[in-house]
Amino acid sequence: MNLYYNHIVDRLIKNIGITRKDLYNITRIESKRKFLAEINLLLAERRIIKEYGDGPDRFRYSPRVLKLYEYEKNIGFKTAEFQLFYFPNAVLEKELEYINNGTQPEGLEFELQIAGYQLKEKHKFFFECHNDIKLNFNKFNYYLWAEYLDPFFKPKESSRKNTTIIYIDNNRSFAIEFIKNIKEKYLPHSNWLLFASTVQAMSFLETKLEIRDSIDLIITENNEGLNGIEFIEAIRELKIELEKKYIHFSIPVMAFTKQAQDLSFLKKDSDFEDIFFHFLKSEELYLLGNVIGSASSPIFGATQN
């Protein structure tokens, strides 16, 4: 149901930064007059805008796209980003039953580009039926955004090192399979250091931090054989001790539990002051994989100096 599909916009999205001459050539429109007429209509509808730069080809066309950001409800980590099928503001206002409260004269367009618009579960069918996505409002919050793609953006060569994760779990068979699945589906460029005991993990962590090697995330188990609470407290004590040596670090910690009642126990008894979160070990892989990816990213992840 591509009611608002436009072949020029589609080519702009797939060829970011293309010049007007090259755009005309790949659209295969029979005349420049017809091409410019379509461009002017898109500009009038604000489906695209004209961005100016330097050089002989001093401007490019910037297409407007709709995106949906997914955030895990409890800890607020961004877990996914979807590019959506395009709808004009008037259509979105009708489907969202949008009411401008008067605080923003631009209405929905302002919210989509500046603040994001939070979807409600009643909007689920509309967005799922027009896009190849599935939304889960029980576990995630969703925010709709609109933006004009930067036609002059030049991506820098990635210098990001592989993510390093310490994982403590006394169930080796589960841990190996879990690491394999996360690496295959969510974090292919990640190094996992698996330990069966918190004593071994703590000794390794202290050594790494003292030589200023970075760790991006720590995952610990909390069960009858492994006390995740004690390990988290030991990390806090290590942080205080290393600060005396002018070694400062902040590493997100994730705890696995087997039973739902353990979650409230962890929350109540842990005095860990940095980023700390916990999930049932039986939680679905999609959620765990994306949260681990977000937690170990530069935005939420570790800092060490």
Side-chain angles (χ1 to χ4, degrees), residues 5-261:
Y5 172 82
N6 182 277
H7 68 117
I8 292 180
V9 175
D10 182 61
R11 284 162 175 78
L12 283 172
I13 292 173
K14 293 176 180 176
N15 301 274
I16 300 297
I18 192 171
T19 65
R20 183 169 68 171
K21 179 180 178 181
D22 290 338
L23 178 62
Y24 169 67
N25 290 334
I26 66 173
T27 55
R28 298 181 181 179
I29 298 175
E30 60 269 24
S31 72
K32 286 187 177 180
R33 178 172 295 185
K34 185 175 180 181
F35 169 75
L36 291 175
E38 290 197 37
I39 288 291
N40 288 332
L41 180 61
L42 292 170
L43 288 168
E45 294 174 346
R46 293 187 62 79
R47 185 76 189 274
I48 65 175
I49 58 175
K50 189 185 289 186
E51 295 280 3
Y52 289 88
D54 299 323
D57 298 310
R58 61 185 179 279
F59 68 82
R60 303 281 193 277
Y61 296 118
S62 175
R64 187 173 188 261
V65 297
L66 292 176
K67 292 185 178 181
L68 190 65
Y69 294 166
E70 175 186 85
Y71 290 85
E72 196 278 334
K73 274 190 172 182
N74 293 325
I75 54 179
F77 280 7
K78 181 180 174 182
T79 50
E81 178 181 321
F82 309 100
Q83 185 158 319
L84 302 182
F85 183 71
Y86 177 82
F87 285 98
N89 278 343
V91 176
L92 290 174
E93 286 178 356
K94 180 180 178 182
E95 294 296 334
L96 298 174
E97 299 175 329
Y98 177 78
I99 298 176
N100 188 353
N101 58 18
T103 59
Q104 305 296 344
E106 299 88 347
L108 181 61
E109 182 172 0
F110 176 87
E111 293 196 40
L112 290 179
Q113 292 185 210
I114 304 300
Y117 184 86
Q118 185 171 1
L119 298 187
K120 298 178 182 177
E121 190 163 7
K122 65 180 180 179
H123 305 135
K124 174 182 169 72
F125 175 76
F126 174 77
F127 285 96
E128 284 187 345
C129 80
H130 289 292
N131 301 276
D132 185 22
I133 57 175
K134 293 293 181 183
L135 307 181
N136 183 346
F137 283 85
N138 292 324
K139 294 183 178 180
F140 303 100
N141 289 320
Y142 296 95
Y143 294 85
L144 185 64
W145 287 82
E147 66 173 330
Y148 289 99
L149 301 182
D150 182 358
F152 295 103
F153 174 74
K154 294 181 180 179
K156 297 179 181 178
E157 291 187 10
S158 177
S159 60
R160 188 176 185 275
K161 65 177 184 59
N162 289 351
T163 297
T164 300
I165 299 173
I166 289 179
Y167 180 24
I168 307 98
D169 196 326
N170 55 1
N171 185 340
R172 183 172 177 80
S173 60
F174 172 88
I176 291 175
E177 185 66 19
F178 179 76
I179 293 172
K180 176 186 173 183
N181 288 330
I182 296 295
K183 283 177 67 72
E184 285 181 353
K185 299 176 182 178
Y186 302 98
L187 279 174
H189 304 295
S190 58
N191 299 320
W192 291 67
L193 306 165
L194 178 60
F195 297 92
S197 77
T198 56
V199 174
Q200 293 173 341
M202 181 56 66
S203 176
F204 177 84
L205 176 63
E206 184 172 1
T207 300
K208 281 288 187 181
L209 291 173
E210 286 190 336
I211 62 175
R212 289 176 167 80
D213 272 1
S214 62
I215 302 297
D216 299 292
L217 177 67
I218 298 170
I219 303 175
T220 182
E221 172 78 277
N222 188 68
N223 58 32
E224 59 277 1
L226 278 176
N227 193 320
I229 293 297
E230 287 185 359
F231 181 62
I232 291 169
E233 295 299 330
I235 294 175
R236 183 175 66 87
E237 292 172 5
L238 175 63
K239 183 174 183 178
I240 296 171
E241 187 65 29
L242 289 182
E243 283 178 350
K244 298 176 183 177
K245 301 178 182 180
Y246 302 100
I247 299 174
H248 305 277
F249 70 90
S250 176
I251 304 173
V253 178
M254 172 177 169
F256 271 144
T257 61
K258 286 187 175 181
Q259 303 177 55
Q261 55 263 37

